Structure formats: structure tokens, C-alpha cells
Amino acid sequence: HEENENYGVFLKRIIQLLNEVRILASIEDPHVVSYKDSFYDELTRTFCIVTEYLDGGDLAHVISKHKSNKKSI
């Protein structure tokens, strides 16, 4: 019974993940990082999403940097 519940949770997460990828791939906006590809890495059992490269680090870094400089983004 517990195994079926775990599998159900797993399937729900896969569906959510695929929906997120589909949405990201459909967005064409200069203010949103663009989707390039996605794949499943069998070795690490990780789903990877490839996006365009952006200078300046991730969003958390940019927000933190602007907060410490008391600047708006």
C-alpha cells in the first residue's frame, strides 16, 4: 500500500515537472530566461533543464547584491 502511495507521489511530481518544462519552453519574453533543452541523467537520476546563460549569477545572488547596495532591481 505504501509503495503505491510513493509511486503515486512520484508520478504526480513527474507530471508537475513536465508541465513546468512545457510552460517554460512556451515563454518568449526578453525578461525571462529562455529554455533550451531538458534531459534525464540516468547516472545521477536527475532531471536537468538547460537555459540560456546569464551573466551575474543566479536570481538570489542578484537580489542579495541589490539589497546590500540598497538599489532596486
Side-chain angles (χ1 to χ4, degrees):
H1 179 64
E2 184 178 331
E3 189 174 303
N4 286 341
E5 286 180 18
N6 289 339
Y7 187 68
V9 169
F10 174 76
L11 284 180
K12 184 176 180 180
R13 288 184 179 169
I14 293 296
I15 290 168
Q16 289 171 334
L17 176 64
L18 293 175
N19 283 335
E20 184 173 337
V21 168
R22 213 174 293 126
I23 290 168
L24 181 59
S26 72
I27 296 172
E28 293 183 24
D29 186 296
H31 304 300
V32 177
V33 64
S34 66
Y35 168 87
K36 298 296 182 188
D37 198 7
S38 59
F39 60 93
Y40 182 76
D41 183 345
E42 296 268 344
L43 184 62
T44 61
R45 299 177 61 190
T46 304
F47 188 83
C48 304
I49 297 174
V50 181
T51 61
E52 71 178 305
Y53 176 78
L54 297 177
D55 288 334
D58 63 18
L59 182 57
H61 174 77
V62 171
I63 290 171
S64 176
K65 182 178 169 184
H66 280 76
K67 275 187 179 179
S68 66
N69 293 334
K70 298 185 179 179
K71 293 182 178 179
S72 60
I73 297 178

